[in-house]
Every structure is written in structure tokens, then in C-alpha cells.
Amino acid sequence: MAIAIFGGGCFWCLEAPLQKVIGVNSVTSGYCGGDSLSANYQQVCSGTTAHAEVVSIDFDENQISYSTLLEVFFHLHDPTQLNRQGNDIGTQYRSVVFYQDDVQKLAALKMKASVATLYANDIVTEISPIMPFYSAESYHQNYYNSNPQQPYCNLLIGPKITKFNSQFAHLLL
């Protein structure tokens, strides 16, 4: 199994659609990229740890490639928004790819350059070496599936999943 770690706004918004992708074994919401030796939601939201909200994706490279996951990631959020996604504002909502090795780094740089032609504004997604990953609290895991009628989920994640399902139907379980 391989691991991909992506941040693109609220981790709930990445977790839910990525759970539906063929070859994805699990998606864990968490925190990465900070300078403290631990992370929790309250600390990360305070802006004092420098962590981003991310998802760690455990996937089978025989079923889906890292490059395909990168393509999905870049289409699930707006990579031109610096330290935000919509109304979620702060460095914890930054767009970031944490790579595991030079192969992932090269793939991320290549995909970033490729999708740049799709946007009028510059892509601000960071491509950074892996740092310690901390799982988010249990109530953040599988959040959308457990709370689909919660207003944030209903208004933001539901439409994102609908768009994702039509755009990436060939990748769905």
C-alpha cells in the first residue's frame, strides 16, 4: 500500500469524495506541516502550530496511481486560493501536497504545472516534503457520511460530491 497526503481546505471536503475512489483503502483526516510535536483541532485552528488540515490516503497502486489521485485532488478544491477555501480562512486551510519521496515530488510538480492552464490565477499549492502526520479527533473521521444533513456538509460537501461523481465517475467504487 502507498500513502498520499493532501490538504485543500477543510479535511471533510476531501475525505468524503476520496473515500469513493477505486483503490483507496482508507482516508484519515488529520494535521500535517506544523512545527509542534502534537496537534489537535483547537491548536490548529488557533493558527499557532502551522499545521494544515489534511487527509492521509492509503491506496493500492495496482488499482489507482498517485498521479490520478493528484488529478482528483486538484479538481476537488481551488488551488489558486491562498490559505483558504471559500469561507474557511487561515493557514490550516492551505493547499498543500506532502510528498513521501522524489517520485511523488516529481508527480506533484508535474500535475501542478499541468492544471495551471485551467486557471486564470496562479496555483498556490505548496509541494512539501512529508512531515509528521497526526490523526484528527475521532469525531472528524468519516464526518460527511456520519453527518450529511449538518448545514456545512449539506451546503458545501454535498454539491462537491455531486460534481465529483459526474466528473470522475470512471474512478468510483
Side-chain angles (χ1 to χ4, degrees), residues 16-148:
L18 287 165
Q19 288 174 327
K20 299 172 152 245
V21 174
I22 293 170
V24 170
N25 298 316
S26 66
V27 181
T28 304
S29 292
Y31 315 104
C32 192
D35 52 15
S36 65
L37 298 178
S38 66
N40 65 46
Y41 190 69
Q42 185 176 1
Q43 293 169 331
V44 172
C45 287
S46 75
T48 60
T49 69
H51 286 92
E53 287 191 20
V54 299
V55 291
S56 177
I57 306 153
D58 178 356
F59 66 101
D60 182 345
E61 292 177 293
N62 294 318
Q63 293 185 339
I64 189 161
S65 70
Y66 182 73
S67 292
T68 300
L69 287 174
L70 283 165
E71 179 184 5
V72 168
F73 163 70
F74 275 105
H75 285 85
L76 282 175
H77 76 297
D78 182 348
T80 68
Q81 292 190 341
L82 183 62
N83 297 328
R84 72 177 300 159
Q85 283 297 298
N87 291 329
D88 292 329
I89 300 171
T91 56
Q92 75 267 26
Y93 299 115
R94 68 188 179 271
S95 178
V96 59
V97 172
F98 289 102
Y99 60 86
Q100 308 279 329
D101 54 31
D102 288 341
V103 172
Q104 284 190 352
K105 178 182 180 181
L106 182 60
L109 291 169
K110 185 177 176 181
M111 187 61 65
K112 180 178 175 180
S114 175
V115 299
T117 61
L118 303 174
Y119 296 93
N121 297 322
D122 291 339
I123 304 286
V124 296
T125 304
E126 298 172 15
I127 310 294
S128 300
I130 188 65
M131 297 180 74
F133 171 84
Y134 302 98
S135 292
E137 297 76 3
S138 61
Y139 66 89
H140 287 298
Q141 307 304 327
N142 200 33
Y143 192 83
Y144 175 79
N145 292 325
S146 299
N147 302 281

